Amino acid sequence: MLKTLFAASEAHPLIKTGGLGDVAGALPIALQKSGTDIRVVLPAYRKVLEKAGRLELVSSQLDSIPPTVRILEGRLPNTNILLWLVDAPTLFDRSGEPYSDTSGEDWPDNALRYSTFSKVVSAIANDKAKLNWRPDVVHCNDWQTGLVPALLSLEKQRPATIFTIHNMAYQGTFDWQQFNQLDLPSSLWSVESMEFYNQVSFLKGGIMHSDVVNTVSPRYAKEICTAEFGCGLEGVLQQRQERLSGILNGVDYDVWDPRNDPLIARQYDYGMFRFKRQNKVALQKEMGLEVDPTIPMLGLVGRMVDQKGIDLIIDLLPKLSRQRVQFVCLGSGVKAYEEEISRIVARNSAKFACHIGYNEQLAHQIEASADIFLMPSRFEPCGLNQIYSLRYGTAPIVHNTGGLADTVTDATKANLQAGKATGFVFEQARLADFERTVTRALNLFEQPRMWKKLVKAGMAQDYGWDISANAYIELYHKALKYRG
Ligand code: ADP
Ligand code: GLC
């Protein structure tokens, strides 16, 4: 049985800031079902310690890592998957978010926090933490674990390494002064390794030193090899193109399916599609909107950052305010976006509603209540909300990029007639294109027969994890071959 250590900086339901949390909470379960001996390692953030249940101290012997680091053992909630928590109280046991403080500023010691985490993961991987278990493969995710393949590459014997890029825009870059304090091998500060324009990039470390690299959709795997999407690392990715692939994220239908979603007002599926309206009415009441199930409702859930095309939403809202539509939005991020959206919503409170912050239940309620889901991201490695929307019969409007392009089929006449259309895709991330597509969607919404056809095709899509988990297992074998 293949033994895999899965390292991530967040995992639902213990801790989540975005899609990485969803993936790290669900993929290990699917890998275990497919016959992998999988163990998950996470930082012991305060919120995780509060939610993790019974924990046992299993190691405090970590050579050359400060003595305050211990490893606690538990289980991923509602599974029998073994979970190891890297318990370094001075680094992780604090209030605030995983990567930022309560005011949204990055923690100033993130370099130390995630280099320490990565050192411990590397120690577990080579059984230096004395856990009596040695994985065949270490699966790392995003920059927070990028040092792991770099550190392991310096060892004589090591497991194979795979590095999954969930987002090129977050690189974990730090200057020489910070690097110098991390007690890392100086060889890592070189162009062939992690040096990147006179800084050190943890993301580059993962890309350069892992046996195989992948990202979370086939389209994004191609895009990041270009200057437009590569965030300066396109050259490095081109160099490693043979080892680079795209595996589409799956979704956890135990959590995201209106048929069995405990967080929504009324459960439904395609056969009982009429019940979806009860969710809309409940949300209209809750958010103080006009109660009328026939008004088309547009939904948005997501981090309010440039990536998500929030500027396009802001530009669209004044135009929407003159139409017979409602807009419901949930998110947080860049203060200027939060404030601007809140201002526009306040001016149109009969039609628009917005909750700034993080709210798991409301995210489910919006998926279940809206008729149309807006996702005009400028780039999107995979994107999960548009896939959830498909299952909730909430037609997504997406920009033709990354995983959005790989998961939504545009409602052209031909696609509609063939029963293939699942949503609406626009070409350029510009207001004119976006607006035209919203109008196209609203027009189709007025044709109930066609709309039902669209929604039916969307709800029938299956993005469960099984297929992707098998693709990961194949990738693990490829990594073992490359390692030699
Ligand atoms: P990203 O990882 O770039 O944020 P994804 O679409 O892959 O985007 O995943 C986002 C996940 O985070 C989804 O599960 C979404 O419902 C959730 N999410 C984002 N913002 C919020 C919020 N403010 N409250 C609750 N859930 C949120
Ligand atoms: C990232 C990406 C998102 C992806 C998620 C999980 O945060 O922005 O597109 O779905 O990771 O892979």
Side-chain angles (χ1 to χ4, degrees), residues 113-377:
R113 296 170 77 232
Y114 291 106
S115 63
T116 305
F117 178 59
S118 295
K119 284 179 190 177
V120 177
V121 173
S122 308
I124 297 175
N126 261 357
D127 204 21
K128 288 184 180 160
K130 313 259 178 344
L131 297 174
N132 292 320
W133 184 79
R134 200 181 265 274
D136 304 303
V137 177
V138 184
H139 185 164
C140 303
N141 294 276
D142 271 354
W143 74 265
Q144 294 86 349
T145 55
L147 253 182
V148 176
L151 289 171
L152 288 174
S153 73
L154 303 170
E155 304 267 340
K156 268 210 192 82
Q157 273 210 321
R158 62 169 180 87
T161 48
I162 109 153
F163 184 65
T164 301
I165 301 167
H166 296 264
N167 200 326
M168 288 300 296
Y170 301 95
Q171 303 201 352
T173 46
F174 306 100
D175 62 18
W176 165 257
Q177 217 184 355
Q178 280 176 292
F179 175 77
N180 211 16
Q181 288 165 0
L182 301 179
D183 195 22
L184 290 170
S186 56
S187 64
L188 298 184
W189 188 278
S190 75
V191 185
E192 296 72 39
S193 183
M194 297 172 57
E195 196 266 339
F196 183 61
Y197 296 104
N198 220 20
Q199 294 209 305
V200 73
S201 158
F202 282 23
L203 187 76
K204 186 176 169 192
I207 294 171
M208 292 300 274
H209 294 288
S210 54
D211 293 308
V212 294
V213 183
N214 83 302
T215 182
V216 288
S217 68
R219 172 75 77 97
Y220 193 60
K222 288 206 184 93
E223 288 173 342
I224 58 179
C225 293
T226 67
E228 190 183 351
F229 296 95
C231 301
L233 286 167
E234 58 277 6
V236 168
L237 287 160
Q238 282 162 21
Q239 251 178 48
R240 306 215 83 207
Q241 208 152 21
E242 200 186 302
R243 296 176 186 230
L244 172 67
S245 61
I247 299 177
L248 203 63
N249 283 333
V251 311
D252 186 346
Y253 288 124
D254 285 342
V255 180
W256 290 99
D257 189 331
R259 201 180 313 210
N260 48 33
D261 187 338
L263 300 177
I264 61 179
R266 182 67 152 102
Q267 299 174 344
Y268 62 95
D269 60 12
Y270 183 71
M272 300 180 293
F273 192 63
R274 63 185 187 283
F275 291 154
K276 180 172 166 63
R277 282 181 162 204
Q278 295 185 20
N279 289 293
K280 191 200 273 188
V281 166
L283 191 65
Q284 285 170 331
K285 284 184 188 152
E286 194 176 320
M287 303 293 261
L289 298 170
E290 184 185 344
V291 178
D292 177 351
T294 68
I295 303 178
M297 180 186 277
L298 312 184
L300 171 81
V301 177
R303 295 180 295 114
M304 290 187 176
V305 295
D306 293 349
Q307 171 188 348
K308 302 292 178 184
I310 299 297
D311 54 322
L312 294 171
I313 303 276
I314 287 172
D315 290 347
L316 181 74
L317 287 179
K319 297 178 201 289
L320 285 185
S321 69
R322 296 190 288 274
Q323 300 181 36
R324 187 176 173 269
V325 295
Q326 291 179 340
F327 170 72
V328 177
C329 141
L330 163 68
S332 66
V334 174
K335 287 277 164 295
Y337 284 149
E338 292 179 357
E339 283 164 14
E340 187 59 24
I341 288 203
S342 303
R343 242 194 312 274
I344 303 174
V345 166
R347 278 201 298 267
N348 299 277
S349 57
K351 287 182 158 187
F352 297 169
C354 168
H355 179 86
I356 301 292
Y358 185 88
N359 185 324
E360 203 132 324
Q361 176 158 19
L362 186 55
H364 286 250
Q365 288 171 324
I366 293 177
E367 285 290 3
S369 307
D371 301 292
I372 293 168
F373 195 90
L374 303 178
M375 213 150 159
S377 311

Side-chain angles (χ1 to χ4, degrees), residues 432-451:
D433 264 26
F434 182 37
E435 194 183 343
R436 214 176 303 125
T437 309
V438 171
T439 305
R440 188 153 65 88
L442 290 170
N443 287 340
L444 197 73
F445 184 75
E446 297 307 327
Q447 304 170 50
R449 214 175 48 81
M450 290 314 267
W451 191 259

Side-chain angles (χ1 to χ4, degrees), residues 1-52:
M1 189 187 268
L2 197 70
K3 290 185 279 181
T4 301
L5 179 65
F6 190 96
S9 53
E10 52 184 274
H12 180 77
L14 292 171
I15 183 90
K16 167 172 158 184
T17 70
L20 171 61
D22 287 341
V23 172
L27 174 57
I29 299 173
L31 286 166
Q32 189 190 49
K33 274 195 199 130
S34 305
T36 308
D37 173 4
I38 181 124
R39 312 203 175 180
V40 174
V41 53
L42 288 178
Y45 306 110
R46 181 171 296 171
K47 282 183 189 158
V48 169
L49 290 170
E50 283 164 5
K51 280 196 188 166

